[in-house]
Short mmCIF file of all heavy atoms in Angstrom, two decimals:
data_model
loop_
_atom_site.label_atom_id
_atom_site.label_comp_id
_atom_site.label_asym_id
_atom_site.label_seq_id
_atom_site.Cartn_x
_atom_site.Cartn_y
_atom_site.Cartn_z
N ARG C 47 39.76 -34.73 -20.93
CA ARG C 47 38.59 -33.92 -20.66
C ARG C 47 38.57 -33.73 -19.17
O ARG C 47 38.82 -34.66 -18.39
CB ARG C 47 37.31 -34.63 -21.08
CG ARG C 47 37.18 -34.80 -22.58
CD ARG C 47 36.09 -33.95 -23.20
NE ARG C 47 35.97 -32.65 -22.55
CZ ARG C 47 34.91 -31.87 -22.64
NH1 ARG C 47 33.86 -32.28 -23.36
NH2 ARG C 47 34.84 -30.73 -22.05
N ARG C 53 37.57 -33.58 -11.74
CA ARG C 53 37.81 -34.98 -12.23
C ARG C 53 38.28 -34.97 -13.65
O ARG C 53 37.79 -34.22 -14.49
CB ARG C 53 36.46 -35.74 -12.16
CG ARG C 53 36.17 -36.30 -10.79
CD ARG C 53 34.78 -36.92 -10.79
NE ARG C 53 33.67 -35.93 -10.80
CZ ARG C 53 32.40 -36.20 -10.95
NH1 ARG C 53 32.01 -37.45 -11.14
NH2 ARG C 53 31.53 -35.24 -10.92
N ARG C 54 39.33 -35.78 -13.93
CA ARG C 54 39.91 -35.79 -15.27
C ARG C 54 39.95 -37.19 -15.83
O ARG C 54 40.20 -38.17 -15.13
CB ARG C 54 41.34 -35.23 -15.23
CG ARG C 54 41.36 -33.75 -14.81
CD ARG C 54 42.53 -33.04 -15.42
NE ARG C 54 43.82 -33.58 -15.05
CZ ARG C 54 44.98 -33.13 -15.50
NH1 ARG C 54 44.97 -32.12 -16.35
NH2 ARG C 54 46.08 -33.67 -15.09
N TYR C 76 39.57 -30.92 -26.65
CA TYR C 76 40.08 -31.32 -25.35
C TYR C 76 41.46 -30.69 -25.11
O TYR C 76 42.03 -30.10 -26.00
CB TYR C 76 40.25 -32.86 -25.30
CG TYR C 76 39.72 -33.59 -26.49
CD1 TYR C 76 40.48 -33.69 -27.68
CD2 TYR C 76 38.45 -34.17 -26.46
CE1 TYR C 76 39.97 -34.32 -28.78
CE2 TYR C 76 37.95 -34.84 -27.55
CZ TYR C 76 38.70 -34.91 -28.71
OH TYR C 76 38.20 -35.55 -29.81
N GLN C 105 43.63 -37.59 -48.09
CA GLN C 105 42.40 -37.73 -47.42
C GLN C 105 42.11 -39.22 -47.05
O GLN C 105 41.65 -39.50 -45.94
CB GLN C 105 41.27 -37.20 -48.29
CG GLN C 105 40.18 -36.52 -47.51
CD GLN C 105 39.29 -35.66 -48.37
OE1 GLN C 105 39.20 -35.83 -49.57
NE2 GLN C 105 38.58 -34.77 -47.71
N THR C 106 42.47 -40.09 -47.95
CA THR C 106 42.30 -41.50 -47.69
C THR C 106 43.14 -41.93 -46.49
O THR C 106 42.66 -42.61 -45.60
CB THR C 106 42.73 -42.33 -48.90
OG1 THR C 106 41.92 -41.98 -50.01
CG2 THR C 106 42.63 -43.82 -48.60
N ASP C 114 40.96 -45.85 -37.43
CA ASP C 114 41.75 -46.63 -36.51
C ASP C 114 41.64 -46.07 -35.09
O ASP C 114 41.47 -46.82 -34.10
CB ASP C 114 43.24 -46.69 -36.91
CG ASP C 114 43.47 -47.61 -38.10
OD1 ASP C 114 42.59 -48.44 -38.36
OD2 ASP C 114 44.50 -47.49 -38.74
N ASP C 117 38.27 -47.00 -33.65
CA ASP C 117 38.28 -48.41 -33.21
C ASP C 117 38.98 -48.57 -31.88
O ASP C 117 38.46 -49.23 -30.96
CB ASP C 117 38.94 -49.33 -34.24
CG ASP C 117 38.03 -49.69 -35.42
OD1 ASP C 117 36.83 -49.34 -35.32
OD2 ASP C 117 38.46 -50.31 -36.37
N SER C 119 39.40 -46.30 -29.67
CA SER C 119 38.60 -45.58 -28.67
C SER C 119 37.48 -46.48 -28.20
O SER C 119 37.07 -46.47 -27.02
CB SER C 119 38.09 -44.30 -29.28
OG SER C 119 37.08 -43.74 -28.49
N GLU C 121 37.49 -49.78 -28.18
CA GLU C 121 38.07 -50.83 -27.36
C GLU C 121 38.27 -50.27 -25.93
O GLU C 121 38.01 -50.96 -24.92
CB GLU C 121 39.48 -51.19 -27.92
CG GLU C 121 39.93 -52.58 -27.55
CD GLU C 121 39.03 -53.64 -28.09
OE1 GLU C 121 38.56 -53.48 -29.26
OE2 GLU C 121 38.74 -54.60 -27.38
N ARG C 128 33.58 -52.01 -18.45
CA ARG C 128 33.35 -53.36 -17.95
C ARG C 128 34.52 -54.07 -17.26
O ARG C 128 34.35 -55.10 -16.66
CB ARG C 128 32.83 -54.26 -19.08
CG ARG C 128 31.49 -53.85 -19.63
CD ARG C 128 30.41 -53.87 -18.59
NE ARG C 128 29.09 -53.55 -19.15
CZ ARG C 128 28.04 -53.22 -18.39
NH1 ARG C 128 28.18 -53.16 -17.04
NH2 ARG C 128 26.87 -52.97 -18.92
N GLU C 133 42.21 -56.11 -14.60
CA GLU C 133 42.11 -56.27 -16.07
C GLU C 133 42.55 -54.99 -16.78
O GLU C 133 43.22 -55.04 -17.81
CB GLU C 133 40.67 -56.63 -16.47
CG GLU C 133 40.25 -58.06 -16.11
CD GLU C 133 38.79 -58.29 -16.24
OE1 GLU C 133 38.00 -57.34 -16.26
OE2 GLU C 133 38.39 -59.48 -16.37
N ASP C 216 39.67 -60.81 -25.68
CA ASP C 216 39.39 -61.91 -26.58
C ASP C 216 40.75 -62.43 -27.03
O ASP C 216 41.67 -61.66 -27.26
CB ASP C 216 38.61 -61.45 -27.83
CG ASP C 216 37.21 -61.00 -27.45
OD1 ASP C 216 36.67 -61.50 -26.43
OD2 ASP C 216 36.67 -60.12 -28.14
N ARG M 47 30.82 -54.69 -27.91
CA ARG M 47 31.93 -55.64 -27.75
C ARG M 47 31.51 -56.59 -26.62
O ARG M 47 31.01 -56.13 -25.59
CB ARG M 47 33.23 -54.90 -27.40
CG ARG M 47 33.72 -54.02 -28.50
CD ARG M 47 35.05 -54.52 -29.08
NE ARG M 47 35.10 -55.95 -29.21
CZ ARG M 47 36.23 -56.64 -29.38
NH1 ARG M 47 37.35 -56.03 -29.43
NH2 ARG M 47 36.15 -57.95 -29.46
N ARG M 53 30.40 -60.47 -20.38
CA ARG M 53 30.21 -59.06 -20.09
C ARG M 53 30.13 -58.28 -21.41
O ARG M 53 30.93 -58.53 -22.31
CB ARG M 53 31.39 -58.49 -19.26
CG ARG M 53 31.29 -58.77 -17.79
CD ARG M 53 32.54 -58.33 -17.07
NE ARG M 53 33.66 -59.26 -17.34
CZ ARG M 53 34.93 -59.03 -16.91
NH1 ARG M 53 35.23 -57.91 -16.32
NH2 ARG M 53 35.83 -59.94 -17.15
N ARG M 54 29.15 -57.37 -21.51
CA ARG M 54 29.00 -56.62 -22.75
C ARG M 54 28.98 -55.14 -22.56
O ARG M 54 28.49 -54.63 -21.57
CB ARG M 54 27.66 -57.05 -23.43
CG ARG M 54 27.62 -58.48 -23.81
CD ARG M 54 26.72 -58.73 -25.01
NE ARG M 54 25.36 -58.33 -24.78
CZ ARG M 54 24.43 -58.39 -25.69
NH1 ARG M 54 24.70 -58.82 -26.92
NH2 ARG M 54 23.19 -58.05 -25.44
N ARG M 68 33.54 -50.05 -42.37
CA ARG M 68 34.79 -49.44 -42.88
C ARG M 68 34.93 -49.75 -44.33
O ARG M 68 34.98 -50.93 -44.70
CB ARG M 68 35.99 -49.99 -42.08
CG ARG M 68 36.11 -49.36 -40.67
CD ARG M 68 37.38 -49.76 -40.05
NE ARG M 68 38.52 -49.11 -40.74
CZ ARG M 68 39.63 -48.71 -40.09
NH1 ARG M 68 39.75 -48.89 -38.81
NH2 ARG M 68 40.62 -48.16 -40.77
N TYR M 76 32.95 -55.04 -34.45
CA TYR M 76 32.03 -55.33 -33.29
C TYR M 76 30.72 -55.89 -33.84
O TYR M 76 30.46 -55.89 -35.00
CB TYR M 76 31.76 -54.05 -32.52
CG TYR M 76 32.55 -52.86 -32.98
CD1 TYR M 76 32.15 -52.11 -34.09
CD2 TYR M 76 33.70 -52.48 -32.32
CE1 TYR M 76 32.90 -51.02 -34.51
CE2 TYR M 76 34.42 -51.39 -32.73
CZ TYR M 76 34.03 -50.67 -33.85
OH TYR M 76 34.75 -49.61 -34.28
N GLN M 105 34.53 -38.16 -49.68
CA GLN M 105 35.54 -38.46 -48.67
C GLN M 105 35.54 -37.43 -47.58
O GLN M 105 35.65 -37.77 -46.41
CB GLN M 105 36.88 -38.56 -49.36
CG GLN M 105 37.77 -39.63 -48.75
CD GLN M 105 38.94 -39.96 -49.64
OE1 GLN M 105 39.33 -39.22 -50.52
NE2 GLN M 105 39.55 -41.14 -49.37
N THR M 106 35.42 -36.18 -47.95
CA THR M 106 35.39 -35.09 -46.96
C THR M 106 34.25 -35.31 -45.99
O THR M 106 34.37 -35.20 -44.80
CB THR M 106 35.22 -33.75 -47.64
OG1 THR M 106 36.39 -33.52 -48.50
CG2 THR M 106 35.17 -32.63 -46.63
N ASP M 117 34.89 -37.80 -31.65
CA ASP M 117 34.65 -36.85 -30.57
C ASP M 117 33.58 -37.35 -29.60
O ASP M 117 33.72 -37.27 -28.39
CB ASP M 117 34.22 -35.47 -31.14
CG ASP M 117 35.44 -34.65 -31.62
OD1 ASP M 117 36.57 -35.09 -31.37
OD2 ASP M 117 35.20 -33.58 -32.23
N SER M 119 32.75 -40.35 -29.05
CA SER M 119 33.28 -41.51 -28.38
C SER M 119 34.18 -41.09 -27.23
O SER M 119 34.20 -41.69 -26.14
CB SER M 119 34.08 -42.37 -29.37
OG SER M 119 34.83 -43.32 -28.72
N GLU M 121 33.86 -38.27 -25.54
CA GLU M 121 32.97 -37.75 -24.52
C GLU M 121 32.47 -38.93 -23.66
O GLU M 121 32.36 -38.88 -22.44
CB GLU M 121 31.80 -37.07 -25.17
CG GLU M 121 31.15 -36.00 -24.28
CD GLU M 121 32.09 -34.86 -23.95
OE1 GLU M 121 32.86 -34.42 -24.78
OE2 GLU M 121 32.05 -34.47 -22.78
N ARG M 128 34.66 -41.59 -15.40
CA ARG M 128 34.64 -40.68 -14.24
C ARG M 128 33.28 -40.30 -13.67
O ARG M 128 33.19 -39.76 -12.59
CB ARG M 128 35.38 -39.39 -14.56
CG ARG M 128 36.86 -39.54 -14.84
CD ARG M 128 37.59 -40.13 -13.64
NE ARG M 128 39.03 -40.28 -13.88
CZ ARG M 128 39.85 -41.01 -13.11
NH1 ARG M 128 39.34 -41.69 -12.11
NH2 ARG M 128 41.14 -41.07 -13.37
N GLU M 133 25.03 -39.30 -12.62
CA GLU M 133 25.49 -38.46 -13.72
C GLU M 133 25.37 -39.15 -15.08
O GLU M 133 25.04 -38.53 -16.08
CB GLU M 133 26.97 -38.04 -13.48
CG GLU M 133 27.11 -37.06 -12.34
CD GLU M 133 28.59 -36.85 -11.93
OE1 GLU M 133 29.45 -37.78 -12.19
OE2 GLU M 133 28.88 -35.82 -11.33
N ASP M 216 30.19 -29.89 -18.55
CA ASP M 216 30.64 -28.51 -18.68
C ASP M 216 29.41 -27.74 -19.16
O ASP M 216 28.65 -28.20 -20.01
CB ASP M 216 31.76 -28.37 -19.70
CG ASP M 216 33.03 -29.03 -19.22
OD1 ASP M 216 33.22 -29.15 -18.00
OD2 ASP M 216 33.81 -29.46 -20.08
#
Side-chain angles (χ1 to χ4, degrees):
Chain C
R47 294 249 35 198
R53 277 174 285 172
R54 295 210 301 178
Y76 355 80
Q105 216 163 20
T106 298
D114 284 343
D117 279 352
S119 168
E121 204 63 40
R128 296 301 183 194
E133 289 169 338
D216 293 332
Chain M
R47 293 248 37 196
R53 278 175 285 173
R54 297 208 300 177
R68 284 189 68 146
Y76 355 80
Q105 216 164 20
T106 298
D117 279 352
S119 168
E121 204 62 41
R128 294 302 182 194
E133 289 169 337
D216 292 333

